[in-house]
Amino acid sequence: MKHPQCLAVRICVPCLIVSCFFPSALWAGDPVIIGATQQQGRFLTCVVRISAEELRDTPNSDERLTVVVLEHKKFVEMREGFHAHKTKLAFSSILARRIYLSSHILGDFETLFRCITHELGHFATQSVYEDHAERAADRLRRVVRQQCSSDGI
């Protein structure tokens, strides 16, 4: 029997490595991106930094935001552990300040763009409701399209 805690430990090991060797990654303004290519990481970092203004007054905004990209099978296991059964490609843990993305979205820029901004919409609104997150995501998407390059994704 697999325990969700074991899966969480495997995912957090890269976080420990990042925090031991790259202490600047711990600043609240610097998101930690795990499991993405360099180009995807640059894009995701750009999007998270742009959203920082909307997230500034949210609970735990002084802690860094982490985006974890998981191979789809591991994503499904993690999704089940969080009881996020309805989601297909992405979900968030607002309390842990983590966004989990399936590797299936990385091949298509538009899907990645829509998913990451939607998840950040949940953080901005502090709401589990999809329509609230989408309204916040729409505002963010206008700015992201102008400022974040999708080259190489």
Side-chain angles (χ1 to χ4, degrees), residues 75-94:
F75 172 82
V76 170
E77 290 174 10
M78 183 63 84
R79 177 186 73 188
E80 296 304 314
F82 275 88
H83 304 288
H85 307 291
K86 293 182 181 181
T87 187
K88 291 183 177 104
L89 299 173
F91 70 94
S92 301
S93 172
I94 294 174

Side-chain angles (χ1 to χ4, degrees), residues 48 55 65-68 70 75 78-102 105 114-130 133 137:
V48 172
L55 302 180
L65 183 83
T66 302
V67 178
V68 182
L70 297 168
F75 172 82
M78 183 63 84
R79 177 186 73 188
E80 296 304 314
F82 275 88
H83 304 288
H85 307 291
K86 293 182 181 181
T87 187
K88 291 183 177 104
L89 299 173
F91 70 94
S92 301
S93 172
I94 294 174
L95 291 176
R97 291 190 55 84
R98 287 206 179 104
I99 296 173
Y100 297 93
L101 303 173
S102 166
I105 70 169
R114 294 200 66 74
C115 285
I116 190 65
T117 53
H118 175 85
E119 294 308 317
L120 287 165
H122 282 293
F123 282 89
T125 61
Q126 293 290 294
S127 173
V128 297
Y129 297 107
E130 302 304 324

Side-chain angles (χ1 to χ4, degrees), residues 5-17:
Q5 296 87 354
C6 296
L7 185 58
V9 169
R10 282 186 272 160
I11 291 169
C12 290
V13 169
C15 298
L16 293 173
I17 292 169

Side-chain angles (χ1 to χ4, degrees), residues 24-38:
S24 65
L26 296 178
W27 297 341
D30 292 336
V32 175
I33 312 296
I34 300 170
T37 67
Q38 189 174 14

